């Protein structure tokens, strides 16, 4: 069992199934079992995924002292995620609404309340002994990022959609990440070229780009090598929200166990493929045993 420290956003996520984009206006639609609410946020998605995979997780975040905050704490207890570092200093807990069409494409409306105006400080010793520190790219993590760096933790972060390697918001996270994940959804150039630009600027040992149905592209600095992995086919795509978080989480899990980056990413692809058959960013996670079973079937 690996011990992973995660610091990131917690929120309440409401998903709504729609026919297609753009959404035509009409006063009301009855989509039975098409509206669902659950605990979400990148921090929760990652923490839950790691817990399902068998890791010990210590979670840090900021939520509200409201009913939604109570719900989050109850869910963390249910998932056996440590939450002693989750502070309840906000008046209202962040929330998001996700519109999902029949093809799995989504539009996310994210209401962060005033969390981006806040900073979180952990006292000496509060960052626990851990194999990897997952520091999500949210403002309250900026001091924690440097605290983890000073403790020589292996730092992993996901900057999600990125179109500029000099992006002011994400630059601090990119420069300090040992394991950097991003998406290909906003690339200004070819994927390999963009990753090369990041590595030349930030020097990250491992960079992984999630490419949705095109798979994943990874650069490993110690090998000076790119790996281009095809997606694992899934004929039952329900909701692609959270697929990137799933890919990231499973890679962290296997890398912390000591697997080589390529072997970790192969299994992360299986984990992310299975996840998108569920409706909700924090749902559909499978166990390590099921990953190995599916991987064996794929190789036959």
């Amino acid at each position: 069992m690996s011990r992973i420290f995660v610091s990131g956003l917690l929120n309440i996520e409401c998903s709504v199934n729609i026919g297609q984009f753009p959404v035509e206006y009409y006063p009301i639609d009855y989509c039975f079992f098409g509206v669902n609410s659950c605990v979400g946020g990148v921090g929760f998605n990652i923490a839950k995924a790691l817990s399902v995979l068998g890791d010990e997780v210590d979670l840090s975040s900021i939520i509200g002292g409201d009913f939604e905050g109570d719900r989050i704490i109850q869910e963390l207890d249910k998932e056996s995620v440590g939450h002693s570092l989750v502070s309840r200093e906000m008046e209202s807990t962040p929330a998001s609404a996700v519109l999902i069409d029949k093809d799995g494409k989504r539009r996310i409306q994210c209401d962060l309340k005033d969390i981006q105006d806040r900073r979180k400080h952990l006292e000496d010793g509060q960052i626990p002994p851990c194999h990897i520190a997952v520091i999500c790219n949210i403002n309250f993590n900026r001091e924690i990022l440097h605290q983890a760096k000073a403790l020589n933790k292996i730092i992993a972060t996901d900057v999600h959609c990125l179109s500029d390697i000099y992006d002011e918001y994400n630059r601090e996270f990119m420069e300090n990440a040992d394991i950097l994940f991003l998406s290909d959804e906003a690339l200004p150039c070819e994927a390999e070229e963009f990753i090369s630009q990041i590595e030349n600027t930030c020097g990250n040992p491992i960079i992984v780009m999630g490419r949705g149905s095109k798979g994943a592209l990874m650069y490993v600095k110690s090998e000076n090598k790119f790996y281009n992995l095809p997606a694992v086919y899934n004929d039952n795509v329900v909701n692609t929200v959270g697929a990137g978080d799933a890919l990231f989480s499973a890679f962290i899990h296997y890398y912390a166990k000591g697997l080589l980056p390529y072997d970790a990413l192969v299994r992360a692809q299986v984990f992310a493929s299975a996840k998108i058959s569920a409706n909700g960013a924090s749902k559909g996670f499978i166990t390590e045993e099921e990953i190995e079973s599916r991987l064996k079937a794929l190789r036959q």
Side-chain angles (χ1 to χ4, degrees), residues 116-135:
Q116 289 294 69
D117 298 326
R118 296 175 181 270
R119 296 294 185 270
K120 190 171 178 66
H121 172 79
L122 298 180
E123 300 298 332
D124 291 344
Q126 283 192 299
I127 295 180
C130 58
H131 294 83
I132 295 178
V134 177
I135 313 295

Side-chain angles (χ1 to χ4, degrees), residues 7-138:
S7 189
L9 176 69
L10 301 176
N11 69 11
I12 299 298
E13 173 195 302
C14 181
S15 61
V16 181
N17 293 342
I18 60 172
Q20 62 185 17
F21 290 107
V23 180
E24 181 182 355
Y25 170 76
Y26 37 88
I28 190 169
D29 186 15
Y30 293 94
C31 50
F32 298 101
F33 298 100
V35 179
N36 297 282
S37 175
C38 63
V39 174
V42 175
F44 181 76
N45 300 342
I46 296 169
K48 179 179 176 180
L50 291 169
S51 182
V52 170
L53 288 168
D55 296 313
E56 180 182 355
V57 184
D58 299 284
L59 179 61
S60 166
S61 190
I62 305 173
I63 59 175
D66 51 5
F67 171 78
E68 286 84 358
D70 294 339
R71 182 181 177 188
I72 288 173
I73 295 299
Q74 292 171 8
E75 196 69 16
L76 292 173
D77 285 333
K78 176 183 173 183
E79 301 299 335
S80 300
V81 173
H83 54 76
S84 63
L85 299 177
V86 175
S87 56
R88 304 192 63 178
E89 62 191 69
M90 297 174 66
E91 182 177 345
S92 300
T93 296
S96 64
V98 187
L99 303 182
I100 308 156
D101 75 1
K102 55 182 173 51
D103 298 317
K105 296 195 298 289
R106 80 276 188 198
R107 168 66 184 267
I108 304 172
Q109 297 292 119
C110 190
D111 181 0
L112 295 175
K113 312 303 182 186
D114 64 344
I115 202 168
Q116 289 294 69
D117 298 326
R118 296 175 181 270
R119 296 294 185 270
K120 190 171 178 66
H121 172 79
L122 298 180
E123 300 298 332
D124 291 344
Q126 283 192 299
I127 295 180
C130 58
H131 294 83
I132 295 178
V134 177
I135 313 295
C136 301
N137 65 333
I138 190 163

Side-chain angles (χ1 to χ4, degrees), residues 13 21 46 51 55 61 96 112-113 122 129 134 149 156 159 165 170 172 176 187 213 236 252 265 277 289-290:
E13 173 195 302
F21 290 107
I46 296 169
S51 182
D55 296 313
S61 190
S96 64
L112 295 175
K113 312 303 182 186
L122 298 180
V134 177
K149 193 72 172 180
V159 293
I165 63 170
N170 285 300
E172 191 173 12
N176 287 282
L187 296 185
S213 62
N236 182 34
I252 295 304
L265 189 56
S277 289
E289 290 73 21
E290 190 167 356

Side-chain angles (χ1 to χ4, degrees), residues 73-274:
I73 295 299
Q74 292 171 8
E75 196 69 16
L76 292 173
D77 285 333
K78 176 183 173 183
E79 301 299 335
S80 300
V81 173
H83 54 76
S84 63
L85 299 177
V86 175
S87 56
R88 304 192 63 178
E89 62 191 69
M90 297 174 66
E91 182 177 345
S92 300
T93 296
S96 64
V98 187
L99 303 182
I100 308 156
D101 75 1
K102 55 182 173 51
D103 298 317
K105 296 195 298 289
R106 80 276 188 198
R107 168 66 184 267
I108 304 172
Q109 297 292 119
C110 190
D111 181 0
L112 295 175
K113 312 303 182 186
D114 64 344
I115 202 168
Q116 289 294 69
D117 298 326
R118 296 175 181 270
R119 296 294 185 270
K120 190 171 178 66
H121 172 79
L122 298 180
E123 300 298 332
D124 291 344
Q126 283 192 299
I127 295 180
C130 58
H131 294 83
I132 295 178
V134 177
I135 313 295
C136 301
N137 65 333
I138 190 163
N139 273 342
F140 70 71
N141 267 341
R142 295 189 186 276
E143 184 174 346
I144 294 175
L145 173 69
H146 293 287
Q147 288 180 292
K149 193 72 172 180
L151 292 171
N152 294 317
K153 304 294 186 184
I154 297 174
I155 294 174
T157 193
D158 187 343
V159 293
H160 307 285
C161 297
L162 189 73
S163 60
D164 180 2
I165 63 170
Y166 301 108
D167 181 87
E168 187 64 28
Y169 181 89
N170 285 300
R171 184 68 182 271
E172 191 173 12
F173 294 97
M174 294 168 64
E175 290 176 339
N176 287 282
D178 300 290
I179 301 169
L180 178 67
F181 269 60
L182 68 150
S183 158
D184 73 339
E185 291 183 282
L187 296 185
C189 59
E190 292 299 317
E192 283 197 16
E193 179 185 347
F194 195 64
I195 288 178
S196 295
Q197 290 176 11
I198 294 173
E199 195 282 320
N200 289 335
T201 303
C202 301
N204 314 95
I206 297 173
I207 303 173
V208 180
M209 180 183 290
R211 309 192 71 196
S213 62
K214 293 179 286 186
L217 179 66
M218 174 173 65
Y219 177 76
V220 181
K221 186 175 182 178
S222 63
E223 303 173 30
N224 191 26
K225 184 175 180 179
F226 279 95
Y227 293 94
N228 197 345
L229 282 70
V232 175
Y233 179 70
N234 183 339
D235 62 359
N236 182 34
V237 177
V238 174
N239 184 345
T240 60
V241 175
D245 293 343
L247 185 76
F248 180 53
S249 304
F251 181 89
I252 295 304
H253 166 74
Y254 283 106
Y255 188 78
K257 285 188 68 173
L259 271 68
L260 294 173
Y262 175 82
D263 295 324
L265 189 56
V266 167
R267 287 160 176 78
Q269 288 275 76
V270 174
F271 186 77
S273 174

